[in-house]
mmCIF file of all heavy atoms in Angstrom:
data_model
loop_
_atom_site.group_PDB
_atom_site.id
_atom_site.type_symbol
_atom_site.label_atom_id
_atom_site.label_comp_id
_atom_site.label_asym_id
_atom_site.label_seq_id
_atom_site.Cartn_x
_atom_site.Cartn_y
_atom_site.Cartn_z
ATOM 1 N N HIS C 88 -13.707 31.383 47.346
ATOM 2 C CA HIS C 88 -12.871 30.181 47.497
ATOM 3 C C HIS C 88 -13.667 29.007 48.038
ATOM 4 O O HIS C 88 -13.417 27.863 47.653
ATOM 5 C CB HIS C 88 -11.690 30.495 48.418
ATOM 6 C CG HIS C 88 -10.654 29.402 48.494
ATOM 7 N ND1 HIS C 88 -10.085 28.851 47.380
ATOM 8 C CD2 HIS C 88 -10.092 28.765 49.548
ATOM 9 C CE1 HIS C 88 -9.209 27.915 47.744
ATOM 10 N NE2 HIS C 88 -9.207 27.842 49.042
ATOM 11 N N HIS C 90 -17.384 29.082 48.831
ATOM 12 C CA HIS C 90 -18.843 29.096 48.904
ATOM 13 C C HIS C 90 -19.513 29.438 47.589
ATOM 14 O O HIS C 90 -20.669 29.848 47.566
ATOM 15 C CB HIS C 90 -19.272 30.080 50.004
ATOM 16 C CG HIS C 90 -20.372 29.533 50.857
ATOM 17 N ND1 HIS C 90 -20.203 28.453 51.698
ATOM 18 C CD2 HIS C 90 -21.674 29.876 50.976
ATOM 19 C CE1 HIS C 90 -21.341 28.189 52.297
ATOM 20 N NE2 HIS C 90 -22.249 29.027 51.866
ATOM 21 N N THR C 92 -19.108 27.246 44.735
ATOM 22 C CA THR C 92 -19.044 26.028 43.899
ATOM 23 C C THR C 92 -18.003 26.129 42.790
ATOM 24 O O THR C 92 -18.198 25.645 41.672
ATOM 25 C CB THR C 92 -20.444 25.710 43.300
ATOM 26 O OG1 THR C 92 -21.455 25.971 44.262
ATOM 27 C CG2 THR C 92 -20.541 24.246 42.907
ATOM 28 N N GLU C 96 -13.077 29.137 39.169
ATOM 29 C CA GLU C 96 -12.363 28.101 38.427
ATOM 30 C C GLU C 96 -13.145 27.738 37.154
ATOM 31 O O GLU C 96 -12.545 27.467 36.111
ATOM 32 C CB GLU C 96 -12.164 26.861 39.301
ATOM 33 C CG GLU C 96 -11.159 27.053 40.438
ATOM 34 C CD GLU C 96 -11.741 27.763 41.655
ATOM 35 O OE1 GLU C 96 -12.967 28.047 41.676
ATOM 36 O OE2 GLU C 96 -10.975 28.026 42.596
ATOM 37 N N GLY C 99 -12.060 29.557 34.566
ATOM 38 C CA GLY C 99 -10.692 29.283 34.150
ATOM 39 C C GLY C 99 -9.609 29.827 35.059
ATOM 40 O O GLY C 99 -8.431 29.679 34.742
ATOM 41 N N LYS C 101 -7.580 30.425 38.834
ATOM 42 C CA LYS C 101 -7.290 29.860 40.151
ATOM 43 C C LYS C 101 -7.486 30.933 41.223
ATOM 44 O O LYS C 101 -7.085 32.088 41.037
ATOM 45 C CB LYS C 101 -5.849 29.372 40.189
ATOM 46 C CG LYS C 101 -5.542 28.459 41.366
ATOM 47 C CD LYS C 101 -4.127 27.883 41.309
ATOM 48 C CE LYS C 101 -3.928 26.801 42.339
ATOM 49 N NZ LYS C 101 -4.502 25.515 41.969
ATOM 50 N N GLU C 131 6.870 30.967 35.463
ATOM 51 C CA GLU C 131 5.896 30.747 34.381
ATOM 52 C C GLU C 131 5.162 29.417 34.536
ATOM 53 O O GLU C 131 4.222 29.147 33.790
ATOM 54 C CB GLU C 131 6.599 30.787 33.022
ATOM 55 C CG GLU C 131 7.068 32.190 32.665
ATOM 56 C CD GLU C 131 8.188 32.186 31.643
ATOM 57 O OE1 GLU C 131 8.966 31.197 31.638
ATOM 58 O OE2 GLU C 131 8.300 33.152 30.870
ATOM 59 N N HIS C 132 5.591 28.627 35.482
ATOM 60 C CA HIS C 132 4.916 27.360 35.760
ATOM 61 C C HIS C 132 3.901 27.535 36.883
ATOM 62 O O HIS C 132 3.311 26.553 37.336
ATOM 63 C CB HIS C 132 5.928 26.276 36.147
ATOM 64 C CG HIS C 132 6.900 25.945 35.061
ATOM 65 N ND1 HIS C 132 7.113 24.672 34.609
ATOM 66 C CD2 HIS C 132 7.707 26.737 34.303
ATOM 67 C CE1 HIS C 132 8.015 24.685 33.641
ATOM 68 N NE2 HIS C 132 8.394 25.923 33.446
ATOM 69 N N HIS D 88 -1.278 21.566 41.565
ATOM 70 C CA HIS D 88 -1.707 22.710 42.366
ATOM 71 C C HIS D 88 -0.719 23.872 42.272
ATOM 72 O O HIS D 88 -1.136 25.028 42.292
ATOM 73 C CB HIS D 88 -1.869 22.276 43.826
ATOM 74 C CG HIS D 88 -2.486 23.318 44.717
ATOM 75 N ND1 HIS D 88 -3.684 23.934 44.410
ATOM 76 C CD2 HIS D 88 -2.089 23.854 45.901
ATOM 77 C CE1 HIS D 88 -3.982 24.802 45.368
ATOM 78 N NE2 HIS D 88 -3.034 24.775 46.275
ATOM 79 N N HIS D 90 2.417 23.847 40.138
ATOM 80 C CA HIS D 90 3.494 23.892 39.145
ATOM 81 C C HIS D 90 3.017 23.692 37.716
ATOM 82 O O HIS D 90 3.802 23.348 36.836
ATOM 83 C CB HIS D 90 4.541 22.827 39.507
ATOM 84 C CG HIS D 90 5.934 23.333 39.361
ATOM 85 N ND1 HIS D 90 6.474 24.318 40.148
ATOM 86 C CD2 HIS D 90 6.911 23.025 38.472
ATOM 87 C CE1 HIS D 90 7.708 24.567 39.769
ATOM 88 N NE2 HIS D 90 7.989 23.799 38.749
ATOM 89 N N GLU D 91 1.740 23.902 37.480
ATOM 90 C CA GLU D 91 1.245 23.733 36.112
ATOM 91 C C GLU D 91 0.418 24.943 35.683
ATOM 92 O O GLU D 91 -0.483 24.839 34.845
ATOM 93 C CB GLU D 91 0.487 22.395 35.977
ATOM 94 C CG GLU D 91 1.413 21.212 36.322
ATOM 95 C CD GLU D 91 0.828 19.811 36.122
ATOM 96 O OE1 GLU D 91 -0.348 19.694 35.754
ATOM 97 O OE2 GLU D 91 1.580 18.837 36.338
ATOM 98 N N THR D 92 0.741 26.104 36.234
ATOM 99 C CA THR D 92 0.149 27.384 35.817
ATOM 100 C C THR D 92 -1.383 27.349 35.790
ATOM 101 O O THR D 92 -2.028 27.945 34.922
ATOM 102 C CB THR D 92 0.685 27.809 34.428
ATOM 103 O OG1 THR D 92 2.073 27.500 34.339
ATOM 104 C CG2 THR D 92 0.553 29.312 34.215
ATOM 105 N N GLU D 96 -7.506 24.484 36.575
ATOM 106 C CA GLU D 96 -8.492 25.554 36.660
ATOM 107 C C GLU D 96 -8.849 26.055 35.256
ATOM 108 O O GLU D 96 -9.999 26.407 34.986
ATOM 109 C CB GLU D 96 -7.961 26.710 37.520
ATOM 110 C CG GLU D 96 -7.862 26.384 39.010
ATOM 111 C CD GLU D 96 -6.605 25.583 39.370
ATOM 112 O OE1 GLU D 96 -5.749 25.350 38.485
ATOM 113 O OE2 GLU D 96 -6.483 25.191 40.545
ATOM 114 N N GLY D 99 -11.538 24.442 34.081
ATOM 115 C CA GLY D 99 -12.776 24.705 34.809
ATOM 116 C C GLY D 99 -12.903 24.045 36.166
ATOM 117 O O GLY D 99 -13.942 24.187 36.815
ATOM 118 N N LYS D 101 -11.608 23.044 40.179
ATOM 119 C CA LYS D 101 -10.845 23.471 41.336
ATOM 120 C C LYS D 101 -9.987 22.323 41.849
ATOM 121 O O LYS D 101 -10.432 21.184 41.912
ATOM 122 C CB LYS D 101 -11.799 23.913 42.450
ATOM 123 C CG LYS D 101 -11.134 24.700 43.555
ATOM 124 C CD LYS D 101 -12.137 25.241 44.563
ATOM 125 C CE LYS D 101 -11.474 26.196 45.535
ATOM 126 N NZ LYS D 101 -11.319 27.548 44.973
ATOM 127 N N GLU D 131 -24.107 22.233 48.166
ATOM 128 C CA GLU D 131 -24.202 22.578 46.742
ATOM 129 C C GLU D 131 -23.522 23.921 46.436
ATOM 130 O O GLU D 131 -23.392 24.288 45.269
ATOM 131 C CB GLU D 131 -25.669 22.638 46.314
ATOM 132 C CG GLU D 131 -26.314 21.248 46.277
ATOM 133 C CD GLU D 131 -27.815 21.306 46.387
ATOM 134 O OE1 GLU D 131 -28.333 22.247 47.029
ATOM 135 O OE2 GLU D 131 -28.480 20.410 45.831
ATOM 136 N N HIS D 132 -23.118 24.618 47.469
ATOM 137 C CA HIS D 132 -22.395 25.882 47.287
ATOM 138 C C HIS D 132 -20.887 25.642 47.312
ATOM 139 O O HIS D 132 -20.115 26.598 47.295
ATOM 140 C CB HIS D 132 -22.790 26.884 48.373
ATOM 141 C CG HIS D 132 -24.237 27.257 48.346
ATOM 142 N ND1 HIS D 132 -24.664 28.563 48.299
ATOM 143 C CD2 HIS D 132 -25.359 26.506 48.328
ATOM 144 C CE1 HIS D 132 -25.991 28.593 48.269
ATOM 145 N NE2 HIS D 132 -26.437 27.359 48.296
#
Side-chain angles (χ1 to χ4, degrees):
Chain C
H88 188 52
H90 223 67
T92 321
E96 290 81 5
K101 195 175 190 78
E131 290 158 330
H132 297 233
Chain D
H88 188 53
H90 223 67
E91 300 185 357
T92 321
E96 290 80 5
K101 195 174 189 81
E131 290 158 330
H132 298 233

